[in-house]
């Protein structure tokens, strides 16, 4: 991972992963460790829309939410210099993917917070605040993860397994990787 991020006006690190992987909490703790600001695109969307994400889905529909999300992601990548947490589905948008790929191409760090269904269930509780998990939440989460995993893995420069770890442990692991990047492998 790059210790400085991609450029003068880009995030130090971007966290991606499914609902319940701990992106928001880990981002807050990591920002504290790095001494930088935190930005969460879900919060940006709620501020822009003036309502909770669940309400946006109900009142305006998923396509409207995804358009707000795309704008939040591309804006944050362009102007935020701290830790950036993206919503779970943000990586599915092709324009957001392109922006993230450009960011990593320029040396930016995107960390995929991976979690299994066994460990996510107690964290999420599969509550009503997660509109894409309504109905059979476990099956829907597993289906979302099956569709999203290849994108998370392709976009990420680093993967952290969050199973059986606290957000503080995950934040420290990412911090150590940022401060002491892994040396390149010896080609011999």
């Amino acid at each position: 991972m790059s210790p400085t991020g991609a450029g003068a006006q880009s995030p130090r690190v971007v966290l991606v992963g499914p609902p319940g992987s701990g992106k928001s909490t880990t981002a807050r703790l990591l920002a504290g460790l790095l001494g930088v600001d935190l930005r969460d695109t879900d919060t940006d969307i709620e501020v822009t829309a003036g309502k909770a994400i669940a309400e946006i889905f109900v009142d305006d529909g998923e396509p409207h939410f995804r358009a707000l999300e795309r704008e939040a992601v591309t804006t944050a990548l362009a102007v935020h210099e701290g830790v950036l947490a993206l919503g779970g589905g943000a990586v599915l948008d092709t324009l957001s993917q392109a922006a993230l790929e450009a960011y990593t191409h320029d040396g930016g760090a995107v960390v995929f917070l991976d979690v299994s269904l066994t460990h996510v269930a107690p964290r999420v509780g599969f509550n009503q605040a997660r509109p894409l998990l309504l109905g059979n939440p476990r099956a829907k989460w597993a289906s979302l993860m099956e569709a999203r995993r290849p994108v998370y893995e392709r976009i990420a420069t680093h993967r952290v397994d969050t199973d059986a770890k606290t957000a503080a442990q995950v934040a420290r692991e990412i911090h150590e990787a940022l401060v002491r990047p892994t040396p390149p492998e010896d080609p011999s």
Side-chain angles (χ1 to χ4, degrees):
M1 282 192 267
S2 168
T4 59
Q9 291 244 315
S10 63
R12 178 82 186 266
V13 62
V14 178
L15 303 183
V16 299
S21 61
K23 295 179 300 291
S24 296
T25 304
T26 300
R28 181 177 45 78
L29 295 169
L30 182 58
L33 288 172
L34 293 169
V36 298
D37 290 332
L38 161 66
R39 188 163 183 169
D40 189 315
T41 57
D42 283 349
T43 301
D44 290 351
I45 293 164
E46 289 180 337
V47 168
T48 298
K51 53 186 158 183
I53 289 173
E55 291 176 46
I56 299 168
F57 269 81
V58 171
D59 297 346
D60 309 310
E62 186 175 357
H64 179 70
F65 169 77
R66 295 297 176 197
L68 293 173
E69 185 173 55
R70 177 185 319 110
E71 181 62 30
V73 169
T74 55
T75 298
L77 283 170
V79 303
H80 183 65
E81 296 179 3
V83 175
L84 177 61
L86 303 187
V91 298
L92 298 179
D93 180 82
T94 56
L95 293 176
S96 295
Q97 286 178 28
L100 286 162
E101 288 167 349
Y103 164 73
T104 60
H105 184 265
D106 289 342
V110 175
V111 180
F112 166 30
L113 300 185
D114 200 356
V115 64
S116 68
L117 179 59
T118 301
H119 284 87
V120 82
R123 294 180 190 179
V124 184
F126 295 122
N127 60 38
Q128 301 298 317
R130 298 180 187 270
L132 290 179
L133 299 180
L134 294 177
N136 181 342
R138 291 176 193 275
K140 289 192 176 187
W141 186 91
S143 177
L144 285 175
M145 192 57 181
E146 184 179 331
R148 294 175 181 180
R149 176 176 294 284
V151 180
Y152 293 139
E153 290 175 344
R154 182 173 49 80
I155 297 290
T157 58
H158 191 69
R159 178 190 159 275
V160 175
D161 182 353
T162 67
D163 283 359
K165 294 179 187 171
T166 66
Q169 290 170 320
V170 173
R172 281 193 302 274
E173 185 175 332
I174 297 167
H175 180 259
E176 286 177 19
L178 287 170
V179 172
R180 287 181 258 158
T182 332
E185 291 185 24
D186 184 5
S188 55

